[in-house]
Amino acid sequence: MSWQTYVDDHLMCEVEGNPGQHLSAAAIIGHDGSVWAQSSTFPQFKPEEIAGIMKDFDEPGYLAPTGLYLGGAKYMVIQGEPNAVIRGKKGSGGVTIKKTGQALVFGVYDEPVTPGQCNMIVERLGDYLVEQGL
């Protein structure tokens, strides 16, 4: 299965039980910042934004004082799971980032999708990739 299929079918899919609702953007990006696959709506990010996210996985709390930036948009960092998940909030939307052995799985959402729905979609795929050794 191609990485694009994971993005299209597993991340940009309809939210379970809520027809017509889906994430606003999603991507799978290597730890080095290389794009494995992304939705057409995923923001054009800067390499230093990915570097900052990677540093926060190594040093939980690193992004908390400055915020998490993705495509120039600033997200307030909210509770995640050290070395596994970073969550960010911006207005009525936000971002969930799950770290696997080789990649970062990104999900970006806006209302009416809830943070919990985004977390579930992103973390389920991330956990699957971890189980596959990726």
Side-chain angles (χ1 to χ4, degrees):
M1 188 181 317
S2 81
W3 290 110
Q4 193 62 49
T5 305
Y6 282 109
V7 169
D8 296 342
D9 296 355
H10 298 279
L11 293 173
M12 295 301 289
C13 58
E14 281 194 345
V15 175
E16 236 167 77
N18 295 285
Q21 289 183 22
H22 50 81
L23 299 179
S24 5
I28 301 172
I29 296 173
H31 287 182
D32 61 358
S34 61
V35 175
W36 293 11
Q38 64 183 17
S39 66
S40 60
T41 51
F42 196 74
Q44 183 63 50
F45 60 86
K46 299 179 183 81
E48 59 267 23
E49 293 173 337
I50 302 301
I53 289 165
M54 287 301 296
K55 187 164 172 114
D56 194 83
F57 278 117
D58 294 335
E59 300 172 27
Y62 170 77
L63 289 175
T66 58
L68 180 162
Y69 285 85
L70 188 62
K74 181 179 179 178
Y75 294 84
M76 181 178 69
V77 179
I78 54 176
Q79 185 184 3
E81 294 164 37
N83 225 347
V85 180
I86 297 173
R87 298 185 182 103
K89 186 100 177 97
K90 182 176 77 112
S92 60
V95 62
T96 302
I97 308 164
K98 168 77 177 180
K99 182 182 179 196
T100 73
Q102 299 174 25
L104 301 172
V105 180
F106 286 79
V108 180
Y109 66 92
D110 286 298
E111 284 187 325
V113 176
T114 67
Q117 289 168 324
C118 181
N119 294 343
M120 191 175 71
I121 292 168
V122 170
E123 292 175 38
R124 188 166 46 197
L125 179 61
D127 290 341
Y128 170 77
L129 295 177
V130 168
E131 286 167 17
Q132 302 304 306
L134 300 164

